[in-house]
Amino acid sequence: RAARTLAAFRAAAASHGVAARVYYAGKAFLATEVVRWVMDEGLAVDVCTSGELAVALAAGADPARLGFHGNNKSVRELEQAVSVGIGSIVIDSWIELERLSAIVERLDATQAVLLRVNSGVHAETHDFLATAHEDQKFGFTLEDAPAAVARIRELDGLDFVGLHCHIGSQIFGTAGFRESAARVVELHADLLAGGEIPVLNLGGGFGIAYTSVDDPTPIEELAQGIADAVAQECDVRGIPMPILAFEPGRAIVGPAGV
C-alpha cells in the first residue's frame, strides 16, 4: 500500500515534470516497524509529537527525512526537533514562529520551515465547503500568510521552503482539493516576489472504505487529479510548478489494518 501510494503521487507529479514527496502521517499509527516499512519503500515520515519523533528515531530514521507537524508544539518539542536535525517543521501560529526563531538563534541552527495556511476549503467524505474566510483554528488565513512569510524570511535561522494546506479527513473525490489548490497556488504565486518557494504540501485526508457503502477514490485517480489541478493553476499564472508533497496516513495503514 505504501509503495502503491508513493508510485501514484510520483507518477502524477512526473506527468507535469516535477517531483513528489510523500510523508507517511505517523498519527494514523506509528510503531518502529511501521517506520522501517514505509521508509524502506521510499516514503518520509510526518510526526506531530515528541513521542512520535522518539519512535521514528528509535527505528533508525534519518531525521532529514522527517517532518514535524502539529498545532500545539511545545518549546521542548521544537528544541528537540531542531537539535536532531529534522528535515522540516510546519509552523502553525504566530507564537510558534517566534518560539522557533528564538530556539534556532539560541542553538545557532538553520531550520527549514513550511507555513500552514487555511484555504477556506473544508472537505469531509464526498462534500466540501468553500468560504470567503477560513474559520478553522489551525494555521494562518490566506490574508495573514504574507505577513507571516515576510517575518520568516527576515529571520536568519529560518529557511522558508513552502506552504502547507490540509483541508480535512476521510475525503472522497478531488473537488475539494481542486478548489483549495486554486486558492493556495494564488498565494504561492504572490509570495514568489520575495524569493523561491520550492515545495507545496497539500496534506492528506484521503478516504478509505470503513464500511461496504464507502467507495474510496483510487489513489492513482486522486494523485493525478490533484497534480493536474495544481499544474493548471500554475499555468494560468505563468509560474513554475513546485515540488508537490503529500501526507497520507489512514490511506496507507487503514486498509492494511483491516
Side-chain angles (χ1 to χ4, degrees):
R1 186 78 186 186
R4 177 184 170 187
T5 301
L6 178 62
F9 283 110
R10 281 183 170 172
S15 70
H16 296 289
V18 298
R21 298 176 184 171
V22 178
Y23 293 79
Y24 171 70
K27 64 183 177 182
F29 177 74
L30 202 66
T32 52
E33 198 64 18
V34 171
V35 173
R36 295 186 188 104
W37 286 340
V38 296
M39 298 200 92
D40 284 349
E41 294 295 347
L43 284 72
V45 176
D46 175 71
V47 299
C48 292
T49 67
S50 58
E52 290 180 3
L53 177 58
V55 170
L57 295 176
D62 178 359
R65 291 178 61 190
L66 304 178
F68 203 112
H69 203 179
N71 69 313
N72 191 29
K73 309 179 199 68
S74 68
V75 170
R76 182 178 63 84
E77 286 174 322
L78 291 171
E79 287 176 338
Q80 181 185 17
V82 173
S83 295
V84 301
I86 203 157
S88 62
I89 294 176
V90 180
I91 294 177
D92 201 87
S93 66
W94 283 107
I95 191 169
E96 187 171 283
L97 195 166
E98 297 304 330
R99 283 176 178 171
L100 187 56
S101 171
I103 289 167
V104 294
E105 182 177 4
R106 184 167 66 252
L107 297 179
D108 192 25
T110 299
Q111 178 62 56
V113 300
L114 294 91
L115 189 79
R116 181 169 180 175
V117 297
N118 292 327
S119 64
V121 173
H122 179 71
E124 191 84 21
T125 62
H126 295 280
D127 301 316
F128 77 91
L129 174 68
T131 61
H133 300 286
E134 179 54 62
D135 59 0
Q136 293 184 32
K137 60 184 176 292
F138 302 125
F140 292 80
T141 65
L142 295 177
E143 292 78 12
D144 290 341
V149 171
R151 174 61 177 154
I152 293 170
R153 282 172 163 166
E154 71 182 17
L155 296 168
D156 292 337
L158 300 182
D159 179 19
F160 176 65
V161 297
L163 298 172
H164 180 290
C165 185
H166 178 79
I167 64 172
S169 297
Q170 187 62 356
I171 304 167
F172 298 155
T174 61
F177 288 108
R178 286 180 172 273
E179 176 64 28
S180 183
R183 300 179 180 205
V184 177
V185 170
E186 182 174 2
L187 172 63
H188 175 97
D190 291 341
L191 294 173
L192 284 172
E196 293 184 355
I197 311 173
V199 179
L200 177 59
N201 189 320
L202 295 171
F206 314 120
I208 65 171
Y210 282 107
T211 72
S212 60
V213 301
D214 292 327
D215 184 21
T217 309
I219 195 66
E220 292 82 3
E221 182 180 330
L222 271 173
Q224 194 64 56
I226 297 171
D228 289 350
V230 175
Q232 180 180 354
E233 296 300 330
C234 289
D235 186 60
V236 167
R237 293 165 177 79
I239 61 173
M241 190 170 171
I243 295 169
L244 300 179
F246 303 92
E247 295 169 354
R250 172 209 336 260
I252 291 174
V253 79
V258 172

PDB file of all heavy atoms in Angstrom, residues 14 22 26 29 38 41 51 94 121 135-136 140-141 146 155 163 165 168 170-171 173 177 220-221 251 253:
ATOM      1  N   ALA A  14       5.295  13.583 -11.966  1.00  0.00           N
ATOM      2  CA  ALA A  14       6.200  13.459 -13.109  1.00  0.00           C
ATOM      3  C   ALA A  14       5.504  13.775 -14.426  1.00  0.00           C
ATOM      4  O   ALA A  14       6.149  14.245 -15.379  1.00  0.00           O
ATOM      5  CB  ALA A  14       6.783  12.046 -13.153  1.00  0.00           C
ATOM      6  N   VAL A  22       6.345  12.111  -0.502  1.00  0.00           N
ATOM      7  CA  VAL A  22       5.234  11.518   0.224  1.00  0.00           C
ATOM      8  C   VAL A  22       5.684  11.203   1.648  1.00  0.00           C
ATOM      9  O   VAL A  22       6.657  10.471   1.849  1.00  0.00           O
ATOM     10  CB  VAL A  22       4.710  10.253  -0.468  1.00  0.00           C
ATOM     11  CG1 VAL A  22       3.580   9.624   0.346  1.00  0.00           C
ATOM     12  CG2 VAL A  22       4.223  10.584  -1.876  1.00  0.00           C
ATOM     13  N   GLY A  26       2.359   9.814  10.647  1.00  0.00           N
ATOM     14  CA  GLY A  26       2.521   8.915  11.776  1.00  0.00           C
ATOM     15  C   GLY A  26       1.352   8.892  12.737  1.00  0.00           C
ATOM     16  O   GLY A  26       1.144   7.904  13.442  1.00  0.00           O
ATOM     17  N   PHE A  29      -0.987   5.700  12.711  1.00  0.00           N
ATOM     18  CA  PHE A  29      -0.499   4.589  13.533  1.00  0.00           C
ATOM     19  C   PHE A  29       1.013   4.537  13.390  1.00  0.00           C
ATOM     20  O   PHE A  29       1.522   4.445  12.277  1.00  0.00           O
ATOM     21  CB  PHE A  29      -1.095   3.243  13.114  1.00  0.00           C
ATOM     22  CG  PHE A  29      -0.519   2.091  13.914  1.00  0.00           C
ATOM     23  CD1 PHE A  29      -0.896   1.887  15.230  1.00  0.00           C
ATOM     24  CD2 PHE A  29       0.435   1.245  13.372  1.00  0.00           C
ATOM     25  CE1 PHE A  29      -0.349   0.854  15.986  1.00  0.00           C
ATOM     26  CE2 PHE A  29       0.988   0.205  14.113  1.00  0.00           C
ATOM     27  CZ  PHE A  29       0.581   0.009  15.426  1.00  0.00           C
ATOM     28  N   VAL A  38       7.750   1.876   5.887  1.00  0.00           N
ATOM     29  CA  VAL A  38       7.438   2.971   4.966  1.00  0.00           C
ATOM     30  C   VAL A  38       8.704   3.637   4.446  1.00  0.00           C
ATOM     31  O   VAL A  38       8.776   4.048   3.280  1.00  0.00           O
ATOM     32  CB  VAL A  38       6.478   4.007   5.593  1.00  0.00           C
ATOM     33  CG1 VAL A  38       5.137   3.367   5.897  1.00  0.00           C
ATOM     34  CG2 VAL A  38       7.066   4.673   6.817  1.00  0.00           C
ATOM     35  N   GLU A  41      10.239   1.691   1.724  1.00  0.00           N
ATOM     36  CA  GLU A  41       9.501   1.868   0.470  1.00  0.00           C
ATOM     37  C   GLU A  41       9.763   3.233  -0.168  1.00  0.00           C
ATOM     38  O   GLU A  41       9.245   3.519  -1.245  1.00  0.00           O
ATOM     39  CB  GLU A  41       7.998   1.691   0.718  1.00  0.00           C
ATOM     40  CG  GLU A  41       7.583   0.298   1.126  1.00  0.00           C
ATOM     41  CD  GLU A  41       7.806  -0.748   0.050  1.00  0.00           C
ATOM     42  OE1 GLU A  41       8.062  -0.364  -1.115  1.00  0.00           O
ATOM     43  OE2 GLU A  41       7.731  -1.947   0.365  1.00  0.00           O
ATOM     44  N   GLY A  51       6.814  12.209  21.288  1.00  0.00           N
ATOM     45  CA  GLY A  51       6.727  10.757  21.360  1.00  0.00           C
ATOM     46  C   GLY A  51       6.843  10.115  19.990  1.00  0.00           C
ATOM     47  O   GLY A  51       7.551   9.119  19.813  1.00  0.00           O
ATOM     48  N   TRP A  94       1.509  32.279  15.057  1.00  0.00           N
ATOM     49  CA  TRP A  94       2.483  33.349  15.296  1.00  0.00           C
ATOM     50  C   TRP A  94       3.368  33.034  16.485  1.00  0.00           C
ATOM     51  O   TRP A  94       4.586  33.242  16.437  1.00  0.00           O
ATOM     52  CB  TRP A  94       1.756  34.677  15.543  1.00  0.00           C
ATOM     53  CG  TRP A  94       1.218  35.337  14.322  1.00  0.00           C
ATOM     54  CD1 TRP A  94      -0.084  35.435  13.925  1.00  0.00           C
ATOM     55  CD2 TRP A  94       1.995  35.997  13.302  1.00  0.00           C
ATOM     56  NE1 TRP A  94      -0.178  36.109  12.745  1.00  0.00           N
ATOM     57  CE2 TRP A  94       1.069  36.478  12.337  1.00  0.00           C
ATOM     58  CE3 TRP A  94       3.350  36.226  13.121  1.00  0.00           C
ATOM     59  CZ2 TRP A  94       1.487  37.176  11.200  1.00  0.00           C
ATOM     60  CZ3 TRP A  94       3.764  36.914  11.994  1.00  0.00           C
ATOM     61  CH2 TRP A  94       2.844  37.382  11.049  1.00  0.00           C
ATOM     62  N   VAL A 121     -11.320  26.134   2.488  1.00  0.00           N
ATOM     63  CA  VAL A 121     -11.992  24.930   1.992  1.00  0.00           C
ATOM     64  C   VAL A 121     -11.906  23.864   3.071  1.00  0.00           C
ATOM     65  O   VAL A 121     -10.827  23.565   3.585  1.00  0.00           O
ATOM     66  CB  VAL A 121     -11.342  24.409   0.699  1.00  0.00           C
ATOM     67  CG1 VAL A 121     -11.938  23.066   0.294  1.00  0.00           C
ATOM     68  CG2 VAL A 121     -11.498  25.430  -0.418  1.00  0.00           C
ATOM     69  N   ASP A 135     -12.534  29.812   8.917  1.00  0.00           N
ATOM     70  CA  ASP A 135     -12.850  29.964  10.331  1.00  0.00           C
ATOM     71  C   ASP A 135     -12.352  28.800  11.177  1.00  0.00           C
ATOM     72  O   ASP A 135     -12.744  28.648  12.318  1.00  0.00           O
ATOM     73  CB  ASP A 135     -14.361  30.143  10.533  1.00  0.00           C
ATOM     74  CG  ASP A 135     -15.160  28.969   9.998  1.00  0.00           C
ATOM     75  OD1 ASP A 135     -14.542  28.017   9.480  1.00  0.00           O
ATOM     76  OD2 ASP A 135     -16.396  29.008  10.105  1.00  0.00           O
ATOM     77  N   GLN A 136     -11.489  27.965  10.632  1.00  0.00           N
ATOM     78  CA  GLN A 136     -10.903  26.896  11.422  1.00  0.00           C
ATOM     79  C   GLN A 136      -9.804  27.465  12.309  1.00  0.00           C
ATOM     80  O   GLN A 136      -9.291  28.556  12.084  1.00  0.00           O
ATOM     81  CB  GLN A 136     -10.330  25.813  10.510  1.00  0.00           C
ATOM     82  CG  GLN A 136     -11.396  25.067   9.717  1.00  0.00           C
ATOM     83  CD  GLN A 136     -10.803  23.931   8.904  1.00  0.00           C
ATOM     84  OE1 GLN A 136      -9.819  23.327   9.319  1.00  0.00           O
ATOM     85  NE2 GLN A 136     -11.375  23.660   7.758  1.00  0.00           N
ATOM     86  N   PHE A 140      -2.630  29.678   9.397  1.00  0.00           N
ATOM     87  CA  PHE A 140      -2.800  31.093   9.080  1.00  0.00           C
ATOM     88  C   PHE A 140      -3.847  31.262   7.983  1.00  0.00           C
ATOM     89  O   PHE A 140      -3.935  30.448   7.063  1.00  0.00           O
ATOM     90  CB  PHE A 140      -1.469  31.683   8.591  1.00  0.00           C
ATOM     91  CG  PHE A 140      -0.405  31.777   9.645  1.00  0.00           C
ATOM     92  CD1 PHE A 140       0.343  30.652   9.992  1.00  0.00           C
ATOM     93  CD2 PHE A 140      -0.139  32.975  10.283  1.00  0.00           C
ATOM     94  CE1 PHE A 140       1.330  30.727  10.965  1.00  0.00           C
ATOM     95  CE2 PHE A 140       0.846  33.058  11.257  1.00  0.00           C
ATOM     96  CZ  PHE A 140       1.576  31.927  11.601  1.00  0.00           C
ATOM     97  N   THR A 141      -4.615  32.318   8.054  1.00  0.00           N
ATOM     98  CA  THR A 141      -5.542  32.612   6.965  1.00  0.00           C
ATOM     99  C   THR A 141      -4.742  33.040   5.743  1.00  0.00           C
ATOM    100  O   THR A 141      -3.574  33.445   5.850  1.00  0.00           O
ATOM    101  CB  THR A 141      -6.506  33.740   7.354  1.00  0.00           C
ATOM    102  OG1 THR A 141      -5.765  34.954   7.530  1.00  0.00           O
ATOM    103  CG2 THR A 141      -7.267  33.409   8.629  1.00  0.00           C
ATOM    104  N   PRO A 146       0.920  36.240   4.063  1.00  0.00           N
ATOM    105  CA  PRO A 146       2.043  37.027   3.536  1.00  0.00           C
ATOM    106  C   PRO A 146       2.879  37.696   4.629  1.00  0.00           C
ATOM    107  O   PRO A 146       4.112  37.731   4.536  1.00  0.00           O
ATOM    108  CB  PRO A 146       1.349  38.062   2.641  1.00  0.00           C
ATOM    109  CG  PRO A 146       0.104  37.378   2.185  1.00  0.00           C
ATOM    110  CD  PRO A 146      -0.349  36.596   3.386  1.00  0.00           C
ATOM    111  N   LEU A 155      14.248  36.395   9.160  1.00  0.00           N
ATOM    112  CA  LEU A 155      14.967  35.735  10.243  1.00  0.00           C
ATOM    113  C   LEU A 155      16.051  34.831   9.667  1.00  0.00           C
ATOM    114  O   LEU A 155      15.766  33.949   8.861  1.00  0.00           O
ATOM    115  CB  LEU A 155      13.997  34.912  11.092  1.00  0.00           C
ATOM    116  CG  LEU A 155      12.927  35.725  11.824  1.00  0.00           C
ATOM    117  CD1 LEU A 155      11.843  34.808  12.393  1.00  0.00           C
ATOM    118  CD2 LEU A 155      13.552  36.548  12.937  1.00  0.00           C
ATOM    119  N   LEU A 163       4.493  26.266   1.397  1.00  0.00           N
ATOM    120  CA  LEU A 163       3.202  26.354   2.063  1.00  0.00           C
ATOM    121  C   LEU A 163       2.660  24.955   2.321  1.00  0.00           C
ATOM    122  O   LEU A 163       2.938  24.019   1.569  1.00  0.00           O
ATOM    123  CB  LEU A 163       2.205  27.128   1.200  1.00  0.00           C
ATOM    124  CG  LEU A 163       2.558  28.584   0.897  1.00  0.00           C
ATOM    125  CD1 LEU A 163       1.595  29.158  -0.128  1.00  0.00           C
ATOM    126  CD2 LEU A 163       2.549  29.425   2.172  1.00  0.00           C
ATOM    127  N   CYS A 165      -1.095  22.969   3.334  1.00  0.00           N
ATOM    128  CA  CYS A 165      -2.538  23.126   3.471  1.00  0.00           C
ATOM    129  C   CYS A 165      -3.197  21.759   3.584  1.00  0.00           C
ATOM    130  O   CYS A 165      -3.016  20.900   2.717  1.00  0.00           O
ATOM    131  CB  CYS A 165      -3.120  23.891   2.277  1.00  0.00           C
ATOM    132  SG  CYS A 165      -4.887  24.240   2.440  1.00  0.00           S
ATOM    133  N   GLY A 168      -8.985  18.494   5.361  1.00  0.00           N
ATOM    134  CA  GLY A 168      -9.944  17.659   6.058  1.00  0.00           C
ATOM    135  C   GLY A 168      -9.526  16.203   6.091  1.00  0.00           C
ATOM    136  O   GLY A 168      -8.378  15.868   5.798  1.00  0.00           O
ATOM    137  N   GLN A 170     -10.899  11.838   5.607  1.00  0.00           N
ATOM    138  CA  GLN A 170     -11.835  10.889   5.000  1.00  0.00           C
ATOM    139  C   GLN A 170     -12.521  11.524   3.785  1.00  0.00           C
ATOM    140  O   GLN A 170     -13.739  11.557   3.643  1.00  0.00           O
ATOM    141  CB  GLN A 170     -12.863  10.422   6.042  1.00  0.00           C
ATOM    142  CG  GLN A 170     -13.792   9.304   5.607  1.00  0.00           C
ATOM    143  CD  GLN A 170     -13.082   7.993   5.256  1.00  0.00           C
ATOM    144  OE1 GLN A 170     -11.867   7.906   5.251  1.00  0.00           O
ATOM    145  NE2 GLN A 170     -13.852   6.978   4.943  1.00  0.00           N
ATOM    146  N   ILE A 171     -11.671  12.037   2.863  1.00  0.00           N
ATOM    147  CA  ILE A 171     -12.168  12.750   1.686  1.00  0.00           C
ATOM    148  C   ILE A 171     -12.229  11.808   0.483  1.00  0.00           C
ATOM    149  O   ILE A 171     -11.258  11.123   0.167  1.00  0.00           O
ATOM    150  CB  ILE A 171     -11.240  13.944   1.354  1.00  0.00           C
ATOM    151  CG1 ILE A 171     -11.118  14.874   2.566  1.00  0.00           C
ATOM    152  CG2 ILE A 171     -11.770  14.710   0.143  1.00  0.00           C
ATOM    153  CD1 ILE A 171      -9.994  15.884   2.439  1.00  0.00           C
ATOM    154  N   GLY A 173     -12.945  11.793  -3.687  1.00  0.00           N
ATOM    155  CA  GLY A 173     -13.005  12.704  -4.822  1.00  0.00           C
ATOM    156  C   GLY A 173     -11.963  13.803  -4.731  1.00  0.00           C
ATOM    157  O   GLY A 173     -11.271  13.964  -3.720  1.00  0.00           O
ATOM    158  N   PHE A 177      -9.967  19.289  -3.142  1.00  0.00           N
ATOM    159  CA  PHE A 177      -8.543  19.540  -3.368  1.00  0.00           C
ATOM    160  C   PHE A 177      -8.331  20.541  -4.507  1.00  0.00           C
ATOM    161  O   PHE A 177      -7.439  21.383  -4.450  1.00  0.00           O
ATOM    162  CB  PHE A 177      -7.828  18.227  -3.692  1.00  0.00           C
ATOM    163  CG  PHE A 177      -7.681  17.302  -2.524  1.00  0.00           C
ATOM    164  CD1 PHE A 177      -8.432  16.144  -2.441  1.00  0.00           C
ATOM    165  CD2 PHE A 177      -6.798  17.579  -1.492  1.00  0.00           C
ATOM    166  CE1 PHE A 177      -8.302  15.270  -1.371  1.00  0.00           C
ATOM    167  CE2 PHE A 177      -6.657  16.732  -0.409  1.00  0.00           C
ATOM    168  CZ  PHE A 177      -7.422  15.569  -0.344  1.00  0.00           C
ATOM    169  N   GLU A 220      -4.512   6.460  -7.381  1.00  0.00           N
ATOM    170  CA  GLU A 220      -3.955   6.960  -8.635  1.00  0.00           C
ATOM    171  C   GLU A 220      -4.810   8.094  -9.202  1.00  0.00           C
ATOM    172  O   GLU A 220      -4.277   9.089  -9.722  1.00  0.00           O
ATOM    173  CB  GLU A 220      -3.858   5.825  -9.653  1.00  0.00           C
ATOM    174  CG  GLU A 220      -2.831   4.758  -9.314  1.00  0.00           C
ATOM    175  CD  GLU A 220      -3.351   3.723  -8.327  1.00  0.00           C
ATOM    176  OE1 GLU A 220      -4.543   3.788  -7.935  1.00  0.00           O
ATOM    177  OE2 GLU A 220      -2.558   2.836  -7.943  1.00  0.00           O
ATOM    178  N   GLU A 221      -6.128   7.953  -9.089  1.00  0.00           N
ATOM    179  CA  GLU A 221      -7.040   8.993  -9.578  1.00  0.00           C
ATOM    180  C   GLU A 221      -6.929  10.261  -8.736  1.00  0.00           C
ATOM    181  O   GLU A 221      -6.933  11.378  -9.265  1.00  0.00           O
ATOM    182  CB  GLU A 221      -8.470   8.463  -9.561  1.00  0.00           C
ATOM    183  CG  GLU A 221      -9.507   9.442 -10.087  1.00  0.00           C
ATOM    184  CD  GLU A 221     -10.907   8.880 -10.047  1.00  0.00           C
ATOM    185  OE1 GLU A 221     -11.059   7.637 -10.176  1.00  0.00           O
ATOM    186  OE2 GLU A 221     -11.862   9.669  -9.863  1.00  0.00           O
ATOM    187  N   ALA A 251      -4.852   6.364   4.647  1.00  0.00           N
ATOM    188  CA  ALA A 251      -4.964   5.723   3.341  1.00  0.00           C
ATOM    189  C   ALA A 251      -3.972   4.578   3.165  1.00  0.00           C
ATOM    190  O   ALA A 251      -4.179   3.696   2.338  1.00  0.00           O
ATOM    191  CB  ALA A 251      -4.763   6.766   2.231  1.00  0.00           C
ATOM    192  N   VAL A 253      -2.291   2.883   6.178  1.00  0.00           N
ATOM    193  CA  VAL A 253      -2.347   1.898   7.260  1.00  0.00           C
ATOM    194  C   VAL A 253      -3.763   1.386   7.523  1.00  0.00           C
ATOM    195  O   VAL A 253      -3.927   0.281   8.036  1.00  0.00           O
ATOM    196  CB  VAL A 253      -1.727   2.496   8.550  1.00  0.00           C
ATOM    197  CG1 VAL A 253      -2.708   3.434   9.254  1.00  0.00           C
ATOM    198  CG2 VAL A 253      -1.249   1.402   9.478  1.00  0.00           C
TER     199      VAL A 253
END
